[in-house]
Amino acid sequence: AYGFKFFTIGNVSYLAVANAYNGTSFNINSKIYQWMPVSKCFGNGTTCGAAFQALATNGATQLQTFTTGPDLYLIAANAYNGTSYNISSSFYQWMAGSQCFGNNSVCGTALQSIPTSGAAWWEPVTISGDIYLATANYYNGSSRNISSSIMKWSPSGCGDAQLGTPTTWTGDQSPSPNGYPTGLFTGSRLYTLACKWLDGTTASSTNVRVTTQTELQLSANGSTTPTVYITPDTSALIQW
């Protein structure tokens, strides 16, 4: 075990354990245990020592939680998969109906994946009601002199101001509020992008939880990247 996180949901207490390596593999499950007050132990609700939920992780250094409104999220900091340090850390949402962490429909499936490099730590910070998440990247396989990221939680996507008439933007001519190309946009309704997407340089279809509707079509690198659809009700982390 590399790290522990104690948290509560309602009046129930849990302990999350980040497992990094088992002597053979870095690709092992990290586990969540529920406090059983009658038995005075952590377990799965009935058996002491049994995991309440297991999450697939890769050299996990930390399991962190943060809340926004009534929703609880868990972050798994994945540092190494046995081959590469440049892997994604994963975010999960607490699913009250299923009593598990998942993607809001399937237990154990990540809600969102964020590219990291030897991620050592995630830290949530609230400023004026906005939630920011700082990630400490440790190593990218060749250097420790690398950037870490601060991301802002966007509960309603990257903006919802309708621009009006149908327009098509291509490549570097697309809106670029942070100085980065944002790809190819087409659609009958377009929305402002007051952010740049998660990979830090271009929009990425692998790092955004999307709702498939024909509102705004985004392709990260022209025709070479699968198309995703982003609507104003999309929830995602955005890099500021």
Side-chain angles (χ1 to χ4, degrees):
Y2 205 97
F4 298 86
K5 175 66 178 181
F6 177 83
F7 61 96
T8 59
I9 301 174
N11 59 356
V12 181
S13 299
Y14 298 86
L15 182 69
V17 181
N19 291 320
Y21 185 61
N22 65 1
T24 304
S25 177
F26 292 92
N27 304 311
I28 57 177
N29 290 334
S30 291
K31 297 180 179 180
I32 299 168
Y33 301 86
Q34 184 184 84
W35 176 250
M36 299 161 53
V38 175
S39 302
K40 302 294 184 184
C41 67
F42 282 100
N44 63 357
T46 56
T47 304
C48 291
F52 178 81
Q53 184 179 3
L55 296 172
T57 51
N58 310 110
T61 55
Q62 181 202 32
L63 295 180
Q64 178 65 279
T65 60
F66 72 97
T67 59
T68 171
D71 297 321
L72 173 70
Y73 299 87
L74 182 141
I75 313 167
N78 291 319
Y80 185 61
N81 64 4
T83 303
S84 177
Y85 291 90
N86 301 310
I87 58 177
S88 294
S89 292
S90 299
F91 287 71
Y92 304 85
Q93 183 175 2
W94 176 253
M95 299 159 51
S98 302
Q99 293 290 291
C100 66
F101 285 99
N103 65 353
N104 207 25
S105 60
V106 180
C107 291
T109 299
L111 174 72
Q112 187 177 354
S113 296
I114 309 295
T116 49
S117 299
W121 193 264
W122 284 89
E123 185 66 28
V125 179
T126 300
I127 303 174
S128 301
D130 292 323
I131 298 174
Y132 297 85
L133 292 168
T135 177
N137 289 319
Y138 173 69
Y139 186 57
N140 65 2
S142 58
S143 177
R144 291 178 173 82
N145 300 315
I146 58 176
S147 296
S148 293
S149 299
I150 299 174
M151 300 183 181
K152 181 180 180 181
W153 176 252
S154 177
S156 58
C158 272
D160 58 3
Q162 185 172 333
L163 299 183
T165 57
T167 309
T168 300
W169 293 309
T170 304
D172 292 342
Q173 285 71 51
S174 60
S176 183
N178 289 283
Y180 290 88
T182 48
L184 171 67
F185 294 83
T186 62
S188 60
R189 289 199 294 169
L190 301 172
Y191 297 89
T192 57
L193 296 179
C195 62
K196 83 179 146 69
W197 292 98
L198 297 169
D199 62 3
T201 53
T202 59
S204 175
S205 62
T206 61
N207 303 317
V208 182
R209 179 188 171 213
V210 300
T211 303
T212 302
Q213 294 180 11
T214 55
E215 299 281 349
L216 171 60
Q217 179 177 291
L218 178 147
S219 179
N221 296 296
S223 60
T224 62
T225 303
T227 297
V228 298
Y229 298 89
I230 298 177
T231 63
D233 61 353
T234 297
S235 294
L237 278 170
I238 55 177
Q239 186 165 335
W240 209 243

